[in-house]
Amino acid sequence: MVQQENICAETLQTAEEPRRKISARKRKTPAFLRNWSLYLLLLPTTVYLLIFCYVPILGSVVAFKDYNAFLGIWNSPWAASGGFQHFINFVTMPNFWNILGNTLVLSIASIIFNTILPVIFALFVNELRWDWSKKTVQVISYAPYFISTVVVVGMLFSFSSIETGVINKIITLFGGDPVNVMESKGAFAAVYVISGLWQGLGWWSIVYFGALSNVDKELHEAAVLDGAGRFRRIWHINLP
């Protein structure tokens, strides 16, 4: 018996030796050569990013030059003050703080509304009972994203026109005076944020729709058995 066990152990050891050699050879081979097919799949995306995302960054050098269209970016002379003259001129402008404040207000308002409202929109659309109504709302909300920003601005001017605009027609219908919304100082921030939200709301909510579709239905069933209502289930299951 002992002899048979020794023979079996030797046989197993002999059979494992080629595997050990192959695994040792694999360890010595660089990772790039072992996974060359995966790197090949990454190549098109890498080339795309380099050409359309990283190479254009080199054009930012124009901010440090006195750009001349006939000379081009690289042959144009450098600006004064070591290339920072344009930045100095901007910071020392009389209305610099107004420009900075308006930019911060618009950016913060856009970030807040464009982050919170798509989540709320996705939660409510997810609660629609009929699939056809859910898909219809999604398609309608996606559509504005594919409209050019130039077209959106043209639509705003058309809707807010004093003579023929829909907005002023509604205002005058209720006895108010026409308002030139697009030239109103106080209305600009609201028009900017709302128009951007209208254009991108459906598209930004796609990620949340995908997350909500993966919520385990058994969690909702268990919550219903425990007496949880719809809003409580939204708050404790869907939102997290």
Side-chain angles (χ1 to χ4, degrees), residues 70-88:
F70 295 100
L71 297 176
I73 295 177
W74 305 112
N75 294 325
S76 296
W78 291 96
S81 304
F84 289 92
Q85 188 59 47
H86 300 306
F87 295 94
I88 295 170

Side-chain angles (χ1 to χ4, degrees), residues 112-131:
I112 292 172
F113 285 102
N114 296 344
T115 302
I116 296 174
L117 292 181
V119 177
I120 297 173
F121 177 72
L123 288 170
F124 277 97
V125 173
N126 187 64
E127 292 302 313
L128 294 174
R129 296 183 178 180
W130 298 285
D131 289 338

Side-chain angles (χ1 to χ4, degrees), residues 21 36 49 60 109 124 135 143:
K21 289 180 181 179
W36 65 270
L49 288 173
S60 60
F124 277 97
K135 291 178 181 178

